[in-house]
Amino acid sequence: MEVNWKIINAILVILLITVVIGGKVVEKNRAEDNAILFEQRAAIAVKQPVSIYDALQQGDFHGITLIGDNATTGMNKTSMNENMQVYANGDEVHYEPVHDSATWANAFRAFTEQQFPQMTFTNAAITNKSAVWFNEQKEYIQIGENELVFVMLGTNDRWATESIEQYEQHYTEFLQHVNAQAKDMVVIISPPAMTDELEMMNFGMDEVAQVTQQICDKQQYTCISFYDAIEQATTQSTPLQTFVQTDGPHFTDKGHTVVWQYFQQQILQ
């Protein structure tokens, strides 16, 4: 029987091409798998808990700035300290809250002044302002490049913002701006409120908390939840009005104490 070498050679070429292509496919798949694993590991590494207290001790920051609304100014508990201007745009000027009222922000100030006297501390929160307003005015918010910035907004967006989707869009943009300007940023999720059912409210604080958490998860921001702190403290014997006032998410004395204790547990240890 005569051997047909043309056919055999053709078969050998086909087998060789198949092996080469197969090898390249395997290499491509392996490279894609490795890239996916690398991204997963990187995401896990970024999401590892960050010790803010360790960073403060190491002198990583020159100052601390708080950005927020009524829940950070201490609405119904403070007047403004007109010696310390925190915002100015034309005729609209805002000042830092006084330093000696019993608020969680002032407890943080006292802690910082005692533990890290070389650092500056600025409460740049502005009463009755929303995430939409802050985003529109972000160029006028002063943030130092060596600042550790804490941001807590959303309570006033329930009436100042038409939808929770609009809140998410504006807050995402504002947080991206702050994160790019500051050395580091922590997002605080705003507390629940007694006023969610009012007709003027377009959505509730439960939606604000959920969307804020989603923003932090997606952008991989460090965050703590004052919403959870108040929810955990609320029981049948100690209802929500024990911690927030009936006119909105303005902390009572007990509420300020609860969130300050929670803040220390989450951030300062």
Side-chain angles (χ1 to χ4, degrees):
M1 180 178 177
E2 184 177 356
V3 178
N4 192 330
W5 290 106
K6 290 185 178 180
I7 295 176
I8 292 175
N9 286 336
I11 293 172
L12 290 173
V13 169
I14 291 171
L15 288 174
L16 180 61
I17 292 173
T18 302
V19 169
V20 171
I21 293 176
K24 289 183 177 179
V25 170
V26 169
E27 289 178 0
K28 181 175 183 294
N29 290 340
R30 186 182 297 116
E32 289 176 349
D33 290 342
N34 288 339
I36 292 171
L37 287 173
F38 178 82
E39 290 177 357
Q40 290 173 342
R41 291 193 197 100
I44 292 171
V46 170
K47 289 188 175 182
Q48 290 300 318
V50 177
S51 174
I52 296 298
Y53 186 67
D54 287 347
L56 290 169
Q57 284 186 314
Q58 292 165 11
D60 291 353
F61 309 107
H62 293 173
I64 291 172
T65 296
L66 309 183
I67 296 176
D69 51 31
N70 314 50
T72 304
T73 63
M75 178 68 173
N76 297 338
K77 293 183 66 62
T78 68
S79 58
M80 297 296 115
N81 174 14
E82 294 193 3
N83 293 322
M84 181 59 183
Q85 181 177 297
V86 295
Y87 172 90
N89 181 10
D91 294 334
E92 187 172 4
V93 180
H94 296 282
Y95 299 92
E96 188 180 43
V98 295
H99 300 175
D100 57 356
S101 59
T103 67
W104 75 267
N106 280 337
F108 187 22
R109 179 191 297 277
F111 173 90
T112 302
E113 290 176 347
Q114 181 182 29
Q115 297 286 325
F116 312 103
Q118 75 282 4
M119 292 183 59
T120 61
F121 190 103
T122 304
N123 187 346
I126 304 176
T127 296
N128 292 334
K129 297 303 185 182
S130 63
V132 170
W133 182 89
F134 270 94
N135 186 51
E136 291 171 346
Q137 303 295 322
K138 58 181 175 288
E139 300 302 328
Y140 298 94
I141 308 299
Q142 299 299 316
I143 302 170
E145 62 179 0
N146 289 312
E147 296 283 310
L148 169 60
V149 181
F150 293 84
V151 186
M152 179 167 64
L153 293 166
T155 62
N156 297 311
D157 284 273
R158 292 174 300 157
W159 53 267
T161 307
E162 294 180 1
S163 68
I164 192 68
E165 291 78 17
Q166 189 183 73
Y167 162 77
E168 180 178 14
Q169 175 187 348
H170 282 272
Y171 203 21
T172 297
E173 185 176 334
F174 180 66
L175 290 175
Q176 287 174 340
H177 171 77
V178 173
N179 192 52
Q181 298 295 314
K183 185 162 188 179
D184 204 352
M185 179 184 72
V186 176
V187 180
I188 305 176
I189 299 176
S190 297
M194 300 288 295
T195 52
D196 280 348
E197 303 305 320
L198 296 179
E199 291 184 3
M200 64 185 294
M201 303 302 177
N202 296 317
F203 44 88
M205 288 307 301
D206 57 339
E207 293 176 274
V208 170
Q210 182 179 11
V211 167
T212 305
Q213 184 66 64
Q214 289 172 353
I215 293 172
C216 292
D217 290 344
K218 183 176 181 179
Q219 301 294 329
Q220 298 182 343
Y221 297 144
T222 301
C223 76
I224 63 172
S225 178
F226 280 4
Y227 189 96
D228 289 348
I230 296 299
E231 286 281 285
Q232 291 169 14
T234 300
T235 63
Q236 286 187 342
S237 58
T238 52
L240 182 58
Q241 57 263 37
T242 306
F243 308 106
V244 296
Q245 300 179 22
T246 56
D247 62 343
H250 310 143
F251 294 119
T252 63
D253 289 349
K254 183 69 173 176
H256 279 289
T257 299
V258 166
V259 297
W260 169 236
Q261 290 173 345
Y262 185 82
F263 184 88
Q264 292 179 86
Q265 293 168 0
Q266 298 297 311
I267 296 295
L268 301 178
Q269 62 178 12

